[in-house]
Amino acid sequence: GPEFPGQHVKMVRINVLRDCLKAMVTAERLGKRQVITRPCSKVVIKFLAIMQKNGYIGDFEVIDDHRGGKICIELIGRLNKAGVISPRFDATHVELENWQSRLLPSRLFGHVVLTTSQGIMDHHEAMSKQVGGKILGFFF
């Protein structure tokens, strides 16, 4: 296409969440205390909030750099693995049990994250509210 001097072409990142989780797991493996990922999205923020609520990461801060934003995430050595499920399969609240056993190493820990009509939540919350949705990813 035509060149516009001084305007950089915006790279369209297909899966911002995948990039973020991959960066976190890699940094965690290297023993880093924090990681900065970009760009930022609502889904990423909600996913991180669930991780934080369950004690898998420390604080995170969204930094508006006028280029899609970046997020600085504090790591606390708890995260073993995190991933995205693509495509986003539909799951009823009854089927969540199956997803839990497919994605997590044990019933006792780890979380499957899904997007529902009542917002983004983990499988425990979805099962107790009896809502289904689309599987976003998981972490443990």
Side-chain angles (χ1 to χ4, degrees):
E3 290 288 327
F4 297 106
Q7 178 183 319
H8 53 245
V9 180
K10 212 167 155 65
M11 274 275 298
V12 177
R13 299 283 272 284
I14 300 302
N15 203 325
V16 174
L17 180 61
R18 177 182 288 136
D19 292 348
C20 175
L21 297 180
K22 197 174 279 180
M24 289 169 71
V25 172
T26 303
E28 190 79 275
R29 216 167 270 152
L30 295 170
K32 296 219 159 89
R33 308 312 300 151
Q34 68 163 23
V35 62
I36 293 174
T37 73
R38 66 153 30 117
C40 168
S41 80
K42 286 194 182 85
V43 170
V44 168
I45 292 171
K46 289 292 292 181
F47 202 103
L48 290 174
I50 294 170
M51 295 175 93
Q52 185 185 48
K53 192 177 88 183
N54 289 286
Y56 283 77
I57 59 172
D59 289 331
F60 64 91
E61 186 191 356
V62 176
I63 299 149
D64 180 13
D65 60 0
H66 305 293
R67 301 211 309 263
K70 55 188 179 185
I71 311 177
C72 181
I73 306 155
E74 186 190 332
L75 300 173
I76 56 175
R78 279 261 346 254
L79 188 62
N80 299 295
K81 197 170 195 303
V84 160
I85 301 301
S86 188
R88 294 178 176 178
F89 292 102
D90 282 308
T92 63
H93 73 276
V94 180
E95 294 167 325
L96 288 175
E97 193 107 354
N98 301 345
W99 280 99
Q100 175 183 336
S101 55
R102 275 164 65 181
L103 297 172
L104 306 175
S106 138
R107 306 175 58 90
L108 301 174
F109 71 107
H111 301 264
V112 176
V113 179
L114 60 159
T115 172
T116 75
S117 58
Q118 297 180 34
I120 294 175
M121 61 184 73
D122 76 353
H123 69 286
H124 298 294
E125 190 180 343
M127 283 157 83
S128 74
K129 289 184 172 168
Q130 301 200 332
V131 294
K134 291 185 185 303
I135 306 285
L136 283 177
F138 64 94
F139 63 90
F140 59 82

